[in-house]
Amino acid sequence: MASVLLIERWAWWRPLGVSLILALASAPAFPLLWRAANSAGLADSLTAAFRSSLVNSIQVAVLAGTASLVAGLTLGVLAGIYSFRFRTLMLALQAMPLLLPSHLLAIGWSSAGIRFGFSELLPGVPGCVLVFSSIGVPLVLLTTLASCGSLSESQIEAARLSGGER
């Protein structure tokens, strides 16, 4: 019988397969890059506005991912290991943003900021981080909760004791 660890061994075809999948995923951008490179040169097409937009996008992605990981992992471990009051209500409320289309949260944040006058409170990148984190936190939380569901009672007790709980 084959071992389950057979999948974990290094194989020569894995980097090739990953490269092929990434190439197929980015294939729609190849004609655009080719046209941009041939029309005015690649360096000329990267204007200051494009560079600024790219930097803003990277900032939003890194900050929203970090905030989602920190908050979602913490809440997911707490919900998975501990049983506390209103736990099910918290989990239900955390799942609500996942049921909405993602653009509705951005439209709602923008409209609420205009209506109630707090649009200057979190403009630009912080507002985008807030909106993207409101989707990212539930994803990390529910994933962590699912992985904590497979823990045995002795593993949960060991985790509680290692944290200093009596």
Side-chain angles (χ1 to χ4, degrees):
M1 177 159 199
S3 171
V4 182
L5 296 177
L6 183 68
I7 299 172
E8 300 297 324
R9 287 192 213 152
W10 186 86
W12 64 269
W13 52 268
R14 283 197 184 132
L16 182 65
V18 170
S19 300
L20 181 66
I21 289 172
L22 290 176
L24 286 174
S26 60
F30 290 151
L32 295 173
L33 289 173
W34 182 260
R35 180 176 292 172
N38 285 337
S39 65
L42 191 57
D44 294 337
S45 66
L46 297 178
T47 61
F50 179 75
R51 281 189 224 115
S52 173
S53 299
L54 190 62
V55 167
N56 284 344
S57 296
I58 291 171
Q59 284 177 347
V60 168
V62 168
L63 291 174
T66 304
S68 298
L69 182 67
V70 169
L73 189 64
T74 305
L75 290 173
V77 168
L78 287 175
I81 292 179
Y82 296 103
S83 179
F84 52 89
R85 195 177 216 183
F86 302 118
R87 177 177 172 248
T88 55
L89 179 64
M90 180 197 76
L91 293 174
L93 289 176
Q94 281 292 318
M96 292 298 284
L98 298 176
L99 300 174
L100 296 172
S102 58
H103 65 279
L104 285 183
L105 294 170
I107 292 171
W109 175 254
S110 176
S111 298
I114 292 169
R115 171 82 169 109
F116 299 113
F118 60 84
S119 60
E120 293 84 23
L121 183 65
L122 289 174
V125 172
C128 290
V129 168
L130 177 72
V131 170
F132 284 123
S133 295
S134 67
I135 298 170
V137 170
L139 287 173
V140 176
L141 183 142
L142 294 174
T143 304
T144 306
L145 182 67
S147 65
C148 285
S150 64
L151 294 175
S152 66
E153 289 295 323
S154 62
Q155 289 172 326
I156 291 174
E157 288 299 320
R160 288 180 178 166
L161 288 174
S162 69
E165 183 182 329
R166 299 184 178 168

